[in-house]
Amino acid sequence: MNMFSQILSFISDQLWGFPMIILLVGTHLFLTIRLKFPQRKIFTAIRLSVTKDDKGSGDVSQFGALATALAATIGTGNIIGVGTAVALGGPGAVMWCWLTGVFGIATKYGEGLLAVKYRKQSEKGHMVGGPMYALEYGLNARWAGILFAVFTALAAFGIGSTVQANAISTLANDVLGVNPWIAAVIITLLVGLVLIGGIKSIAKVCTALVPFMAFLYVAGCCVILCINHEYIWYAVQLIFTSAFNPEAVGGGVIGGGIMIAARYGIARGLFSNESGMGSAPLVAAAAKTKNPVRQALVSASGTFWDTVIICAITGIVVVSSILSYTDASLLDYNILGKVFSENIHAILPNMDGGTLTKIAFCKIPYIGMFILVFGLFTFAFSTILGWSIYAQRAVEYIGGYRAVKIYTYFFLISVFIGGIVELGVVWTFADIFNALMAIPNLFALILLSNVIAKDTDKFLWGNRINEEG
């Protein structure tokens, strides 16, 4: 098992090496410039996300599609993933995670546009789309579409089921004393009940659950920041300086400086907001929308909420909580890195990112752990629901509707397994398939950037956002 773990780590390190960072960040920057900074329209995107579009064709509302996508993205990546990034890559990883979100808005926009542009009606009458359809019908590369679909179906067993179920059962056992087997059974039954109703049922659950869970979690983070108010500015300084200065925390918490901070920050950023991975377009294609640009903007707002807001707040909460173990009157800009490094090694000798988040929420008297447990449960549970749709759409593309039914049973089994076994390599497994999904999707975005730019110029910059097309 140790050798298997080392092999997976080697593969992950290769996939998430310098070339992948260049490809991902390069695509974010390329589309940002090519599309004339669509981030400028983020408030328009937020407004459209809560605007009903009755005249558009599709299966779910724009907000329903966004809520389902957010359900899949706002998960353990926000709660545990950010803590893991800080533990392994240092405080600078938070900055790279945030930058991935800011520039990733343009990539998520492009994905959403192509999803609607190339969507089709399935044999069951619902709308289907995503990177595999853009690859097949936009680039005449069905083989690449099949590869993406296979990677998505496999990724769902990691990022979409076992990771989330394990996070729920582990925390339930640690905090509430619930037996993992009981937790696994309950999680599996709840997921199965929701999946019976298909995408419309999942969208309804996510529409009700996502705003509430996000508000409660952010409110908890704000309380912690109030408690840590003396350390907030120090945390922000350290996050920024250590992202670009390899000496800020002694070359990084585990060594490697800028590349280590960037590697874990970007990887966790992608794990959290999924910009460039190609997952969110799988549900965006089902949205009722007048034209591709409207849903593209709505999809882009998901990255804003997930990473630019929630991950950033979580990062500041974690770093300020670590610094708070030192008297604020003794802190100085020149020793922040040293203090952080000494504190994190004292608090966290095994570099367990989840523990960092627990420590931070323990600062809220009486109800801190309840907020964390509830937040993690709802975030992880909703992520399972969102990813079940992603996986079903991918499998449907490969083998049709009958294959989806068979796959769903295996998906539920993976949820159960995730709740009862130790998954020491599960994050590495998730990182590998995140990267494998991203590669064909990023090339599709680059090669079809003229198509994205043409519709953007017509509908967004031509002030025709309310026209059909």
Side-chain angles (χ1 to χ4, degrees):
M1 188 63 187
N2 185 51
M3 181 175 291
F4 178 67
S5 176
Q6 290 177 353
I7 292 171
L8 286 182
S9 295
F10 175 78
I11 295 172
S12 179
D13 289 341
Q14 297 306 305
L15 286 171
W16 281 107
F18 196 66
M20 183 60 181
I21 291 176
I22 291 294
L23 177 60
L24 182 62
V25 176
T27 302
H28 290 347
L29 293 172
F30 170 72
L31 289 177
T32 294
I33 297 170
R34 182 73 178 83
L35 303 178
K36 303 173 184 177
F37 291 82
Q39 290 91 335
R40 291 183 288 158
K41 292 290 185 178
I42 192 61
F43 293 109
T44 300
I46 295 171
R47 176 178 59 80
L48 288 174
S49 69
V50 294
T51 301
K52 200 170 182 179
D53 194 351
D54 290 325
K55 294 183 179 179
S57 59
D59 302 316
V60 298
S61 67
Q62 290 182 150
F63 184 73
L66 173 64
T68 304
L70 278 174
T73 56
I74 300 180
T76 53
N78 300 89
I79 299 179
I80 295 177
V82 173
T84 301
V86 171
L88 297 177
V94 176
M95 185 69 179
W96 286 105
C97 182
W98 187 79
L99 288 173
T100 300
V102 171
F103 291 105
I105 288 173
T107 300
K108 185 65 73 71
Y109 169 90
E111 292 175 323
L113 192 152
L114 292 179
V116 177
K117 184 80 174 178
Y118 293 106
R119 67 182 178 179
K120 305 292 178 183
Q121 193 168 43
S122 73
E123 59 184 85
K124 291 292 182 178
H126 55 254
M127 302 302 293
V128 292
M132 54 274 200
Y133 292 90
L135 287 161
E136 179 178 354
Y137 296 103
L139 295 173
N140 195 29
R142 177 170 168 77
W143 63 271
I146 292 174
L147 273 180
F148 174 85
V150 169
F151 293 148
T152 302
L154 292 174
F157 289 128
I159 183 177
S161 59
T162 53
V163 168
Q164 314 301 332
N166 186 259
I168 295 173
S169 66
T170 299
L171 199 62
N173 181 254
D174 291 345
V175 179
L176 305 176
V178 178
N179 187 293
W181 283 82
I182 296 175
V185 170
I186 294 173
I187 298 165
T188 305
L189 287 175
L190 289 174
V191 172
L193 288 173
V194 178
L195 293 189
I196 291 174
I199 188 171
K200 291 184 179 180
S201 173
I202 292 173
K204 286 181 181 179
V205 172
C206 294
T207 298
L209 190 61
V210 168
F212 176 70
M213 71 183 192
F215 173 79
L216 183 64
Y217 177 73
V218 171
C221 286
C222 289
V223 172
I224 298 172
L225 290 177
C226 289
I227 296 171
N228 293 345
H229 67 277
E230 292 181 285
Y231 301 90
I232 293 176
W233 178 237
Y234 291 122
V236 173
Q237 284 181 304
L238 187 57
I239 287 170
F240 182 80
T241 55
S242 59
F244 305 103
N245 178 9
E247 303 301 324
V249 283
V253 176
I254 62 172
I258 293 176
M259 277 302 297
I260 289 294
R263 181 254 190 268
Y264 285 103
I266 292 172
R268 294 301 170 217
L270 177 61
F271 184 92
S272 177
N273 64 53
E274 299 177 11
S275 292
M277 196 190 305
S279 52
L282 296 167
V283 70
K288 295 177 181 178
T289 184
K290 293 176 184 175
N291 59 65
V293 169
R294 285 176 70 92
Q295 184 54 38
L297 285 170
V298 173
S299 293
S301 69
T303 296
F304 172 79
W305 292 119
D306 178 87
T307 308
V308 178
I309 301 297
I310 296 179
C311 278
I313 291 175
T314 303
I316 297 172
V317 162
V318 169
V319 175
S320 64
S321 294
I322 294 170
L323 292 176
S324 71
Y325 281 83
T326 299
D327 189 332
S329 63
L330 301 177
L331 286 179
D332 178 82
Y333 173 77
N334 295 316
I335 63 169
L336 286 179
K338 180 182 178 182
V339 169
F340 177 90
S341 184
E342 290 176 351
N343 286 356
I344 197 172
H345 280 97
I347 298 167
L348 209 63
N350 296 321
M351 297 301 174
D352 176 11
T355 303
L356 285 180
T357 312
K358 294 177 191 176
I359 290 171
F361 272 82
C362 281
K363 286 181 169 289
I364 303 178
Y366 308 112
I367 63 170
M369 285 309 297
F370 167 77
I371 294 174
L372 179 60
V373 171
F374 180 78
L376 184 57
F377 172 80
T378 53
F379 280 23
F381 180 72
S382 63
T383 297
I384 295 172
L385 296 181
W387 265 91
S388 69
I389 288 296
Y390 296 164
Q392 288 177 4
R393 291 294 186 260
V395 172
E396 186 176 1
Y397 177 79
I398 300 169
Y401 191 70
R402 290 183 180 179
V404 172
K405 291 185 176 181
I406 298 172
Y407 179 88
T408 301
Y409 290 117
F410 283 103
F411 184 83
L412 289 173
I413 291 171
S414 73
V415 172
F416 178 77
I417 292 173
I420 62 172
V421 302
E422 290 290 334
L423 298 174
V425 298
V426 72
W427 285 95
T428 306
F429 179 83
D431 278 347
I432 288 172
F433 281 101
N434 285 359
L436 290 175
M437 284 178 64
I439 292 170
N441 178 59
L442 292 171
F443 277 111
L445 286 165
I446 294 169
L447 296 175
L448 291 172
S449 60
N450 285 338
V451 175
I452 302 171
K454 183 178 179 181
D455 273 13
T456 301
D457 288 338
K458 177 182 177 181
F459 291 103
L460 185 59
W461 306 125
N463 295 318
R464 299 164 68 180
I465 198 71
N466 293 316
E467 293 184 13
E468 293 188 25

